[in-house]
Amino acid sequence: IDIENKKNFVTDLYKILKKISNANDIEITLAVITGLKKFFLLENLDKAFYFIRPEIANLSKSEELYDNLKNEIINKNDLFSFMKIEKTINTLVKQHQPHNNTPVIGIIGDSYSMLEPFSHQNTDKMLGSLGLICDRWLINPWINKKKTKKINVESFIKNNYGSLMKKEIKKTSLYLQKDYDGLVFISPFTCNPCDALKTQLATIQSVSQIPVISLSFDSHTSTTGLQS
């Protein structure tokens, strides 16, 4: 599948699903809808807990709530259950609203590492347990911060870069414009598609006056590598 070609992506995906499942059109359509609903629910769950984790004093309780909801999303397949889970997530956010002065940290860097927090030893959860709201999306409806600065990271980076890099540059600019309290750059030690952005972190920190820290995780000595 060529994920860069939006025109052919759906057609290519359908052909592959048809080939490996031998299912009819209706079954494939229902499976795709269910899969998308689960994906967006899991995404919403992560966004919610990035926001409320600082307000749940007991870290083990926070992760127990998170894991229970995640497993429920994975195991359920009907619309009614999805609606019930979504309502539960919204209720949790209302019950654990962080204070207005709670620091917000933007997580940037390697997109693949951010999708699997285990690969960076759950840096996001650790930051949450320290009382910090985290964000790694272009849009998180729970975090209500307005743009107060005019900073464009693209002006620092003149080299060519790929599609994954473009998203991280856009995110970084947004977090700086919204005056986040800090940035954490996460990347694998041996491979980093966003190297051009990483080399400009000192400039970004100097111009924005926002603290930036870069964390590199070796796949062989991290928890991921050891368990592999």
Side-chain angles (χ1 to χ4, degrees):
I1 301 177
D2 182 4
I3 61 173
E4 300 294 333
N5 191 331
K6 296 179 181 179
K7 183 178 179 181
N8 297 328
F9 176 76
V10 175
T11 305
D12 291 345
L13 178 62
Y14 169 78
K15 288 178 180 178
I16 290 174
L17 291 174
K18 184 80 172 176
K19 184 177 180 179
I20 64 176
S21 69
N22 202 28
N24 60 45
D25 291 352
I26 294 176
E27 290 171 331
I28 291 175
T29 302
L30 289 174
V32 169
I33 291 172
T34 301
L36 285 171
K37 187 60 180 174
K38 288 189 178 193
F39 170 79
F40 287 118
L41 265 178
L42 287 167
E43 188 91 334
N44 198 33
L45 177 66
D46 274 342
K47 288 179 178 181
F49 270 79
Y50 268 45
F51 182 62
I52 68 174
R53 201 171 264 124
E55 289 304 306
I56 303 178
N58 189 322
L59 181 61
S60 60
K61 178 188 174 184
S62 167
E63 298 318 304
E64 183 182 354
L65 283 169
Y66 176 86
D67 289 338
N68 287 341
L69 283 167
K70 182 179 74 174
N71 290 331
E72 202 171 341
I73 293 170
I74 292 169
N75 294 323
K76 298 294 184 182
N77 292 303
D78 61 283
L79 184 60
F80 177 76
S81 295
F82 292 154
M83 292 172 64
K84 186 178 177 182
I85 295 168
E86 195 162 17
K87 186 176 180 180
T88 302
I89 294 172
N90 291 336
T91 301
L92 277 172
V93 172
K94 289 178 181 178
Q95 290 174 343
H96 300 282
Q97 285 284 324
H99 299 292
N100 291 333
N101 60 350
T102 303
V104 181
I105 304 298
I107 300 178
I108 57 175
D110 176 52
S111 300
Y112 297 114
S113 296
M114 284 183 280
L115 287 172
E116 180 44 82
F118 190 70
S119 69
H120 53 75
Q121 300 184 29
N122 298 294
T123 303
D124 47 0
K125 293 180 181 180
M126 186 180 296
L127 290 169
S129 70
L130 293 172
L132 305 170
I133 296 172
C134 293
D135 193 5
R136 63 174 173 84
W137 296 271
L138 281 167
I139 300 174
N140 187 340
W142 309 117
I143 301 174
N144 186 23
K145 284 181 76 74
K146 299 186 183 299
K147 294 181 180 180
T148 59
K149 293 182 175 180
K150 293 182 179 180
I151 300 176
N152 188 357
V153 177
E154 284 188 11
S155 62
F156 309 150
I157 303 173
K158 305 300 181 184
N159 299 327
N160 293 324
Y161 43 80
S163 59
L164 294 176
M165 177 81 166
K166 287 179 183 178
K167 180 183 176 184
E168 293 309 304
I169 290 174
K170 193 172 182 180
K171 275 172 50 182
T172 305
S173 294
L174 181 67
Y175 297 162
L176 297 179
Q177 290 163 8
K178 290 187 174 183
D179 201 21
Y180 278 21
D181 298 278
L183 298 177
V184 175
F185 186 96
I186 289 175
S187 65
F189 180 70
T190 53
C191 173
N192 179 21
C194 296
D195 233 12
L197 177 58
K198 185 178 181 179
T199 58
Q200 297 299 323
L201 293 180
T203 303
I204 291 170
Q205 179 171 280
S206 175
V207 171
S208 67
Q209 295 299 300
I210 292 174
V212 182
I213 186 171
S214 175
L215 301 176
S216 296
F217 294 87
D218 187 342
S219 59
H220 295 291
T221 57
S222 68
T223 306
T224 311
L226 290 171
Q227 292 198 4
S228 298

